[in-house]
Amino acid sequence: MTHADDRPPPAVGAYWINESDYPALVRMFADGNRMPRTFAEWLKIAEEMESGLKAYGHVVLRVRIDPNTFPGWCAANGTSPGSEGRKKFVAAAVEERFGKQN
């Protein structure tokens, strides 16, 4: 018999941005005014978050956001290209790769 405590933590996703795409995505994101001013600042935060999740045993899937395709994905999935859109985009990628996570 398996106990919930015996299972590894679920896989999680983290949205990932290429440096060259950062300015376009910040302008595109509905909440872009709350993003770090520079890519370097964003990357530091993202890598610290990823390290923390891995330290707790999570598998972390980096999900790259492409400024050319993300708005279309958001429109097709009934969301906007902001925080909610990023969450849904990452969740869809994690489910596609690892199946439903409980």
Side-chain angles (χ1 to χ4, degrees):
M1 179 179 281
T2 315
H3 295 91
D5 293 342
D6 295 337
R7 287 182 284 188
V12 294
Y15 74 91
W16 217 257
I17 299 174
N18 288 347
E19 184 171 7
S20 61
D21 294 334
Y22 192 75
L25 286 169
V26 168
R27 285 191 302 274
M28 177 189 305
F29 293 158
D31 59 344
N33 62 330
R34 293 187 293 196
M35 296 287 290
R37 283 184 317 104
T38 67
F39 174 79
E41 291 172 20
W42 174 84
L43 183 61
K44 182 178 187 292
I45 293 165
E47 288 177 337
E48 287 173 355
M49 180 200 64
E50 181 182 47
S51 293
L53 289 166
K54 287 180 176 180
Y56 280 99
H58 293 277
V59 171
V60 179
L61 176 66
R62 289 182 178 185
V63 181
R64 191 176 83 77
I65 297 182
D66 181 335
N68 298 310
T69 58
F70 186 60
W73 185 93
C74 288
N77 288 277
T79 190
S80 64
S83 176
E84 192 64 29
R86 291 190 303 270
K87 287 177 192 174
K88 288 181 177 183
F89 185 71
V90 168
V94 169
E95 184 174 336
E96 181 179 309
R97 174 78 185 271
F98 297 102
K100 287 270 190 202
Q101 301 288 296
N102 294 332

